[in-house]
Amino acid sequence: MVIIMNEFIMHRHPANPIIKPEDFPVPADSVMNCGQAMYKGKTVLLVAAIYRGLVNGKRTGIHVAMSDDGINFEIDAKPLCSGTDFGGDEMFYDCWVIDPRLTQIGDEYYISRPGEGAIGPCALLEKTTDFKTTEFLGCIALPPNRVPCLFPEKIDGKYVRLDRPMSGSGKGCGEIWISYSPDLKFWGDYKPLLKPGFTPQFDFKIGPTVPAKTSKGWLEIIHGTWDSCADTRYSVGAVLLDLNDPSKIIGHCNSWILTPQADYELTGHVRDVCFPCGCLVDEEKDEIRIYYGASDEFVCLATGSVSELIDACIKGL
Ligand code: BMA
């Protein structure tokens, strides 16, 4: 057993990993990076699975996991998202269904996720209201783009998103941008928001998750990578954006808030990975929950005090 010496604000739940491949109702090798939201008082996760062999002819799928207590989940055997015929070409563009970002806007839940592409992923959007069926809304970003994360409400009458229009290669190539839309279809007013290198722990690339509204600003959990001669380490960071103008950064933590240290993060299918797609914030309980993918094999949970995290962003701790 690994003893974690230096957790910073976020604490690993003792029940980790809370979802393992063997918990899955279909044969899976990896259960990983997940979208997260509240639905009818329950915690809902959209869990990406890489199947063991083909399941109904598919290599991957995104499955709904629901829970009353946020720890014990019931997982649907039938995937909610299993790829579409977008782009034709024997599903070339939508054959690897992973990394969903889930945003609740009113009574609707939007799922943005990467589609395959020869020069990198494009971004596909689906919508659900019942977590049983989805409506495919199309492609909302050209490749290479990983992955637009929608804000949960309009700001100044426009939908807002963060994404990583990755281009080039090498250190510092992946940065986060903000853009706006009148209808979730046509996007513009692009502005760069945050570049890798704002902390040495995230020197290679960074990527967004779905922002959470707090009384002090939009809390934006990010992933960021650090490249060594041995491997790429995926950690979790936090940024605070202005409530009325989210293109303004109010503050950010000076380093990671979660980095691979536990055995289920250090070993596994891809070692050294903590990969978030969102977070759940409850300011009344002063709680933040981040369900994250650990080593591309498990779903894990880290919890912390949201006021402490916001304070750390503002002070740059
Ligand atoms: C990223 C994504 C994630 C994955 C991570 C680590 O590029 O593909 O799905 O968790 O790499 O392997």
Side-chain angles (χ1 to χ4, degrees), residues 42-55:
K42 290 175 188 263
T43 302
V44 57
L45 302 182
L46 295 187
V47 181
I50 300 175
Y51 299 134
R52 179 164 304 163
L54 298 179
V55 173

Side-chain angles (χ1 to χ4, degrees), residues 32-33 48 50 96 98-99 101 114 146 164 166 205 223 225 232 234 269-277 293-297:
M32 46 192 272
N33 314 336
I50 300 175
W96 192 248
I98 58 162
D99 290 4
R101 271 52 170 205
R146 192 182 272 271
R164 191 182 77 210
M166 183 169 62
K205 58 184 179 178
H223 78 259
T225 67
T232 299
Y234 280 76
H269 287 316
V270 182
R271 66 182 181 192
D272 253 359
V273 175
C274 293
F275 194 99
C277 291
S295 66
D296 287 8
E297 190 166 344

Side-chain angles (χ1 to χ4, degrees), residues 12 31 33 66 83 94 220 224 247 267:
R12 289 167 180 82
V31 298
N33 314 336
M66 293 260 188
D94 200 9
E220 169 60 9
S247 71
T267 59

Side-chain angles (χ1 to χ4, degrees), residues 62-206:
I62 291 171
H63 292 244
V64 174
M66 293 260 188
S67 171
D68 288 320
D69 63 4
I71 308 297
N72 299 290
F73 284 86
E74 275 182 31
I75 305 163
D76 287 355
K78 187 167 174 271
L80 181 67
C81 310
S82 59
T84 63
D85 60 4
F86 172 76
D89 201 9
E90 294 181 354
M91 289 184 57
F92 174 72
Y93 283 97
D94 200 9
C95 61
W96 192 248
V97 186
I98 58 162
D99 290 4
R101 271 52 170 205
L102 180 62
T103 303
Q104 180 180 4
I105 304 180
D107 293 336
E108 298 180 317
Y109 291 80
Y110 289 84
I111 304 153
S112 51
R113 55 185 183 79
E116 286 286 286
I119 56 167
C122 60
L124 304 173
L125 188 65
E126 294 185 72
K127 171 170 105 171
T128 186
T129 50
D130 59 4
F131 290 97
K132 299 279 178 220
T133 57
T134 62
E135 181 187 342
F136 184 65
L137 301 174
C139 177
I140 55 164
L142 290 172
N145 192 306
R146 192 182 272 271
V147 165
C149 296
L150 305 178
F151 281 66
E153 59 188 61
K154 289 183 178 176
I155 300 170
D156 263 348
K158 292 201 184 106
Y159 293 101
V160 190
R161 72 181 186 183
L162 302 176
D163 63 2
R164 191 182 77 210
M166 183 169 62
S167 63
S169 58
K171 281 197 173 180
C173 69
E175 58 198 31
I176 296 177
W177 287 58
I178 190 165
S179 50
Y180 302 84
S181 169
D183 55 7
L184 285 177
K185 209 174 162 87
F186 297 99
W187 293 88
D189 269 339
Y190 298 98
K191 283 185 201 148
L193 185 77
L194 190 66
K195 292 187 175 60
F198 71 92
T199 158
Q201 276 70 40
F202 300 153
D203 67 347
F204 193 81
K205 58 184 179 178
I206 54 176

